[in-house]
Amino acid sequence: EDFSAHLSDLHLTGRVEVSALDEAMPSLQAELRSNAFNPRTVLASLGLDDPRTTDPDALTRMEIDVSASGSPGRLEVDPVLLTLDGSSLRGDGALDLTGARPMARLDLAGDRLDLDRYLPPEVEQARTAEAPDVPGPPTDDIPIDLPAELLRAFDLDGRLRLGVLKLFGLTLEDIDLTLRARDGEWNVEPLTGNGYQGRLEARATVDAGAAVPGYAAAIDLRSVAIGPLLQALLEEESRLIGNGDLAVDVRAEGGSVNALTESLNGRGEMRFRDGAVRGINVARIIRNADARLRGETPQDDGEPDETDFTELSGSFQIRDGVVRNDDLAARSPLLRVTGQGSADLPAREMDYR
């Protein structure tokens, strides 16, 4: 009774009972509660790297309330009550310490979680970086330092359900994801949710166990409003609006943004309906040209600077950072538009008609 233990900034109190000490496998029951501790301080005391996060105030406040039973090597934990930087999670889990690495199992449900706060700052910097004024590769590469030592320190089987998840600037609802980690390879398989009037299903891999970190992602969006989604993702007004489907499957490896861009491979396809491409009004250009040919002065029609379409579709292939599209097609009551060409992402150059 009145058990207490301390590790750096972490203080545990509660009740612990050990029985069957005369047998090969003693039995353990415990009820433990923590103070509001700083996980960064605890990780440092264990000799693990302090994760670099976009928000320096992320991963600085955690509280735990658990009940556990089993043997010292294998524990069932039910319930788990976890508060992390203002997000509340509840569920159950298990911990197995008998293998080569600790094995954890978690099944948690919570209200909301802002994962953008916990991503490396290089990810946010690359996502929101402005395009250069002139073509050519960027002069300053952005390194991506994974906490590889921490990601290889334990294995995990997890499931997480959230009311609201924020990731890469996107706000998604009714999230259900399965997470599996083995020997430094972390897999989300799958992540499902709702957002931007549509449905999301995604899979992702981060391989921190390899000599060169590898990444892969497959994203399938159905009946999504692409304008608000791109605006949230890129933090600028989207040039494309409309509702439809988008699928992307990509992979890359490397320790910097340039290395990831140069090794990017994959494919994708899109099909949108009843939308517009902002920034150009093709019908107006044709009307103005016709007026000039007739010797007339083009009149201001008051229409927005955008080209409406009833359907816009296309697919693309990515090889070593070069995106190729040969089947762009757009239809409207007045126009038929086709397009083909490529965009060299490492060189930041485009050749497209």
Side-chain angles (χ1 to χ4, degrees), residues 329-351:
R331 298 174 180 271
S332 77
L334 298 177
L335 300 170
R336 300 291 184 272
V337 180
T338 60
Q340 63 180 20
S342 64
D344 188 330
L345 301 182
R348 298 192 179 182
E349 295 176 347
M350 178 177 287
D351 181 7

Side-chain angles (χ1 to χ4, degrees), residues 252-267:
E253 61 180 23
S256 70
V257 171
N258 285 357
L260 293 180
T261 305
E262 293 168 359
S263 65
L264 187 66
N265 287 274
R267 58 183 177 81

Side-chain angles (χ1 to χ4, degrees), residues 21 29 47 66 68 177 185 189 223 242 251 288 327 340:
L21 287 169
Q29 290 187 329
V66 299
L177 71 86
E185 182 176 290
E189 47 183 21
S223 302
R251 61 191 180 278
N288 289 350
D327 61 354
Q340 63 180 20

Side-chain angles (χ1 to χ4, degrees), residues 107-226:
D107 189 340
L108 300 174
D111 48 4
R112 60 188 302 115
L113 181 62
D114 184 354
L115 276 184
D116 282 342
R117 300 180 62 193
Y118 303 92
L119 294 177
E122 299 84 8
V123 175
E124 183 70 7
Q125 183 180 351
R127 181 178 74 86
T128 59
E130 293 185 1
D133 294 331
V134 295
T139 56
D140 296 326
D141 198 3
I142 303 174
I144 297 178
D145 298 321
L146 276 180
E149 184 178 358
L150 176 61
L151 295 177
R152 292 193 294 261
F154 62 97
D155 295 338
L156 175 68
D157 281 333
R159 184 184 181 192
L160 178 62
R161 284 155 291 172
L162 291 168
V164 178
L165 172 68
K166 187 176 180 182
L167 179 62
F168 300 136
L170 304 179
T171 301
L172 305 171
E173 300 177 343
D174 302 325
I175 291 296
D176 192 340
L177 71 86
T178 300
L179 180 62
R180 176 182 172 89
R182 294 291 186 276
D183 195 20
E185 182 176 290
W186 289 65
N187 293 282
V188 175
E189 47 183 21
L191 181 156
T192 60
N194 301 317
Y196 303 94
Q197 304 176 31
R199 181 71 175 166
L200 162 72
E201 182 169 333
R203 300 176 185 272
T205 297
V206 176
D207 188 358
V212 178
Y215 306 84
I219 302 171
D220 192 0
L221 298 167
R222 297 294 173 184
S223 302
V224 69
I226 192 64

